[in-house]
Amino acid sequence: MTRRLLLVVGVFVFLAGVLVLVGATRFDVGQSVIGLIGVLAILVALSGFSRRRTERDLTTTTDPEHRTTVPVPGKTLSSAIAQFRTDSYGFVSGSRRIVDGLREAAMAVLTRFDGLSTEDARDRIESGTWTADERVAAFLSPDLDPPKASLRNRLVAGLDRETTFRQNVRRTAASIAAIGYGGLGDQVLPDSIPQYDPEELEDVTPRTTQDSFVGRVERSVRETGYWTGVGGLALFAVGVGAVAQSPGAVLAGVVGVGYAGFAHLRDAPDPDLTLERTLSDDYPDPGEEVTVTVTITNDSGGFVPDLRFVDGIPAGLALESGSARLGTSLRPHDSVSLEYTVTARRGKHTFDPALALTRDLSRSSERESYLTAETETAIVAEPTLQALTTAVPLRPAAAAFSGQLTTADSGDGMQFHSVREYRRNDPLNRIDWNRHARSGELATLEFHEERAARVLVLIDARKASYLAHQPDAAHAIDQSVEAAGRIVASLLDDGDTVGLAALGPVNREANQRLNLRETCWIAPSSGQHHRIRLNEALASHGQFSTEPPREETQWRPQLRMIRRRLAAETQIVFLSPLCDAAAARIVRRLDARGHALTVISPDPTAERTTSQQLARVARRIRRFDLQRAGVPVIDWEPSETIDEAVARANAGGRR
């Protein structure tokens, strides 16, 4: 009410000013009064400028053109160094933790890749003979004095000791990575400077999704501040014109007041918008393109002069072509459409509510609304359970071939076990006819009994495993789920019994919607119904989400539950990127229980910076230690397919 009253007063003053200027009327007011009014106008204008917002308060739209990214191992040098630490170091300073972490990293690469004992490696670090860089040697050894620096470097060090420490950390990390990986060359980039907090975890927050609803949810009208300052400037011009007795300045100010009044004449329109979204294919195969058509209709009788629309593409999908944004105006009962294409990825991807912004002609206010279609729109892409081109490399100690276990008991099989006396009703094809030809006696051949292998495919789906060699590349969980589907298909085709389990956070909402268990556990079995059940779990279970979870979970209780359910003879294929110490502990605990374990590890590491190469070395050390303990580890590089990685392992090319 107050706003409209002020607007009426402003319009009245504007008209009165125009009448005075054209001579249609006159007011007998003294010059002193006019000057006083001018001074007051200037003071009010200056007061308004002091309260003026510096930025326009416009709604920030979502970014549907890019799907959620995941971290690259070694995003910071401090996090890469932390992977080598074995102790928490209590409350020591950050710089001390970094130096101690680098010392442990040097010990690790010297004992693994230079073949030194722990004592020899420690002696070489203390004496500084582990590297040719004297500055690096002195940085890790308290008994060595750093080499004498030039006058310029001493001046720089005196002015900025932190910069000197950073340089030493970076040079030391490069020397360690050169032993464990080799060939850094010019790839030490400035962005690998440490942040001095080894406990720092670089989280990538998934794109925010709106609460689920049907229809339309409206937010309150907000002032954008687009015309902020125009009224104050106009009032200032009126005041100056009044004091200086300049009709032209007063007229210019009055015109500005008119613009300011127009900006506040109307609020943003509140139309009745409806949304219709159609898909070219609701159930595509992973990798197929899906065309999305969106139609927005103005069902109200009012004109919408400025409509900004952003469709809610699921965070797990990336825009392939077209645009999910639209800027237009809509007449009453008119419609407008947009079309774009996305590439389907494994899993169920439900579209988020679409954002609709309506503004008035002056853009001084806007109304924010979220729209959904009448029925849920989702793309469901189930992985195809296609067998590998080569046998699944189960641990040789448990199975000579991926399909069968040879036991100590006699029975049906291919490998000779013993000869026994003939019994009535023995099959003719098991009679030793050579012996009968020589002696005339009947005897029956026995073979080692062969039973189908019992295999559990276990996926490391912890938050720490959502990693990729590039932020927007397929992450290790997607690769693990793909490999799990191929392995499951191969084993089932060979007549084995196969189960599926996972370690990691649980998307309870998704599981309840699909009537699934909180944690993925499917006991080893076989048959077509079991195959369908495995396929559905890999496609939709909440533990295999394509989006990184917001929180980590305790994996130890999940692992204890899995171990209680496992039979003693169950073999395990563990899929994990092995990018933290917890992954190695999981492998060792399963191996200690006597399960024949094979690790298939998609490699998410990169080598563009020193910190990334140091993280790559840490992962290589974990592989080295597991292989030395007798656990086969198949390294699946980003440039390979799962078939190529498995074929290389079967050919004896494990790395």
Side-chain angles (χ1 to χ4, degrees):
M1 184 64 183
T2 303
R3 181 177 174 183
R4 293 188 179 275
L5 180 60
L6 292 175
L7 182 61
V8 171
V9 172
V11 172
F12 175 76
V13 172
F14 172 74
L15 294 176
V18 172
L19 291 175
V20 171
L21 288 173
V22 300
T25 186
R26 59 178 297 175
F27 293 99
D28 294 326
V29 180
Q31 294 297 327
S32 59
V33 176
I34 294 176
L36 179 60
I37 294 174
V39 171
L40 291 175
I42 293 174
L43 292 176
V44 172
L46 293 176
S47 176
F49 285 140
S50 65
R51 298 192 304 267
R52 180 179 180 270
R53 287 173 294 184
T54 57
E55 296 182 358
R56 295 172 184 168
D57 190 15
L58 300 176
T59 299
T60 302
T61 60
T62 56
D63 188 12
E65 287 81 9
H66 304 283
R67 71 183 187 211
T68 302
T69 58
V70 295
V72 177
K75 188 173 183 179
T76 63
L77 192 50
S78 56
S79 64
I81 295 171
Q83 295 190 36
F84 293 91
R85 294 202 327 269
T86 56
D87 298 318
S88 61
Y89 297 112
F91 295 98
V92 299
S93 64
S95 59
R96 172 66 185 279
R97 288 199 299 268
I98 286 182
V99 174
D100 289 345
L102 286 170
R103 189 174 288 112
E104 291 194 22
M107 289 279 295
V109 296
L110 291 173
T111 53
R112 270 72 165 191
F113 306 125
D114 273 5
L116 300 179
S117 65
T118 302
E119 291 299 326
D120 290 341
R122 184 177 293 108
D123 291 341
R124 290 188 62 177
I125 292 173
E126 296 297 330
S127 63
T129 57
W130 70 280
T131 176
D133 191 329
E134 296 180 359
R135 184 173 166 184
V136 169
F139 185 66
L140 292 189
S141 175
D143 300 331
L144 298 177
D145 295 326
K148 188 175 182 180
S150 63
L151 177 61
R152 177 179 178 276
N153 290 338
R154 289 201 301 271
L155 290 175
V156 172
L159 294 174
D160 190 354
R161 294 184 179 276
E162 185 179 3
T163 298
T164 303
F165 181 77
R166 293 184 181 186
Q167 293 174 352
N168 288 336
V169 169
R170 186 167 55 187
R171 289 179 63 145
T172 305
S175 298
I176 294 170
I179 298 175
Y181 178 76
L184 286 178
D186 298 329
Q187 297 178 10
V188 181
L189 303 181
D191 61 0
S192 63
I193 295 175
Q195 302 299 315
Y196 302 108
D197 184 7
E199 303 298 336
E200 180 182 6
L201 294 178
E202 298 292 337
D203 294 333
V204 176
T205 303
R207 247 168 38 201
T208 302
T209 58
Q210 306 298 331
D211 296 334
S212 59
F213 54 82
V214 176
R216 174 186 177 203
V217 169
E218 178 186 319
R219 304 290 176 88
S220 60
V221 179
R222 60 192 293 172
E223 299 292 332
T224 64
Y226 194 82
W227 290 89
T228 299
V230 173
L233 184 62
L235 192 59
F236 183 80
V238 170
V240 171
V243 173
Q245 298 184 11
S246 172
V250 174
L251 180 60
V254 170
V255 172
V257 172
Y259 273 107
F262 168 74
H264 296 83
L265 184 60
R266 295 188 60 186
D267 288 334
D270 184 17
D272 183 13
L273 300 176
T274 57
L275 172 69
E276 182 182 358
R277 186 187 294 111
T278 58
L279 307 176
S280 61
D281 189 354
D282 293 342
Y283 294 89
D285 292 331
E288 288 187 354
E289 292 186 356
V290 178
T291 300
V292 183
T293 304
V294 181
T295 302
I296 308 102
T297 303
N298 179 12
D299 290 331
S300 65
F303 174 62
V304 182
D306 188 350
L307 170 65
R308 309 296 171 95
F309 176 84
V310 183
D311 198 18
I313 299 179
L317 301 179
L319 189 67
E320 189 69 26
S321 62
S323 177
R325 300 174 183 267
L326 179 67
T328 185
S329 59
L330 270 182
R331 296 182 181 277
H333 307 292
D334 273 1
S335 298
V336 64
S337 298
L338 62 91
E339 186 176 283
Y340 58 89
T341 302
V342 296
T343 301
R345 295 177 65 200
R346 172 197 56 83
K348 181 178 181 179
H349 305 274
T350 303
F351 279 76
D352 297 331
L355 171 65
L357 294 175
T358 56
R359 296 171 180 164
D360 61 345
L361 285 173
S362 66
R363 301 179 65 187
S364 63
S365 65
E366 66 181 14
R367 190 182 302 272
E368 179 181 351
S369 303
Y370 289 95
L371 311 175
T372 60
E374 293 184 359
T375 57
E376 182 185 70
T377 310
I379 294 176
V380 181
E382 295 186 355
T384 303
L385 295 188
Q386 180 181 358
L388 294 168
T389 57
T390 184
V392 178
L394 298 183
R395 194 164 179 174
F401 302 99
S402 64
Q404 304 293 326
L405 285 174
T406 302
T407 70
D409 301 327
S410 62
D412 295 332
M414 298 295 294
Q415 186 177 350
F416 176 75
H417 178 270
S418 60
V419 178
R420 61 170 174 79
E421 294 182 356
Y422 173 77
R423 298 171 187 166
R424 187 176 181 182
N425 296 326
D426 279 347
L428 295 178
N429 60 353
R430 291 180 56 187
I431 294 176
D432 187 354
W433 295 107
N434 291 329
R435 181 171 181 173
H436 179 267
R438 291 194 306 270
S439 62
E441 298 178 357
L442 289 176
T444 302
L445 299 174
E446 290 283 1
F447 300 90
H448 284 280
E449 182 183 4
E450 291 183 347
R451 293 198 298 262
R454 185 182 181 89
V455 183
L456 177 73
V457 178
L458 178 60
I459 298 178
D460 180 4
R462 297 173 298 120
K463 182 179 179 180
S465 297
Y466 279 84
L467 302 166
H469 67 285
Q470 293 180 351
D472 57 349
H475 50 67
I477 304 301
D478 276 344
Q479 291 180 288
S480 297
V481 172
E482 175 198 350
R486 304 289 305 280
I487 292 169
V488 163
S490 295
L491 295 174
L492 289 176
D493 289 349
D494 289 340
D496 300 325
T497 59
V498 187
L500 179 67
L503 299 171
V506 180
N507 188 331
R508 291 179 172 83
E509 180 181 350
N511 287 352
Q512 290 173 359
R513 187 169 59 249
L514 298 171
N515 196 25
L516 298 172
R517 292 175 179 266
E518 283 196 356
T519 56
C520 181
W521 167 259
I522 300 178
S525 186
S526 58
Q528 185 61 28
H529 176 74
H530 187 67
R531 180 189 291 263
I532 294 174
R533 187 182 176 197
L534 291 171
N535 192 28
E536 290 177 347
L538 289 171
S540 305
H541 197 281
Q543 283 188 293
F544 304 138
S545 172
T546 57
E547 300 307 305
R550 296 183 181 276
E551 299 178 356
E552 188 57 276
T553 189
Q554 292 292 328
W555 55 266
R556 292 176 179 84
Q558 294 179 350
L559 184 62
R560 285 196 294 269
M561 179 195 68
I562 291 173
R563 289 191 304 186
R564 285 196 299 267
R565 293 174 172 177
L566 286 178
E569 71 276 8
T570 303
Q571 303 175 78
I572 299 176
V573 177
F574 184 52
L575 294 148
S576 171
L578 297 178
C579 282
D580 65 343
R585 286 197 291 270
I586 292 170
V587 174
R588 291 183 179 277
R589 293 188 182 192
L590 291 172
D591 185 61
R593 291 291 295 266
H595 297 287
L597 184 67
T598 300
V599 178
I600 298 179
S601 179
D603 183 5
T605 60
E607 52 186 3
R608 293 180 292 274
T609 66
T610 303
S611 56
Q612 291 175 358
Q613 293 214 10
L614 198 61
R616 189 181 183 99
V617 170
R619 177 178 176 274
R620 185 182 177 191
I621 288 174
R622 293 187 197 99
R623 287 173 37 220
F624 179 89
D625 290 345
L626 292 177
Q627 289 172 334
R628 187 169 58 179
V631 178
V633 179
I634 301 172
D635 193 26
W636 178 10
E637 296 185 351
S639 59
E640 292 181 311
T641 64
I642 181 61
D643 292 288
E644 293 170 341
V646 171
R648 172 170 47 79
N650 286 334
R654 293 187 182 91
R655 288 196 290 269

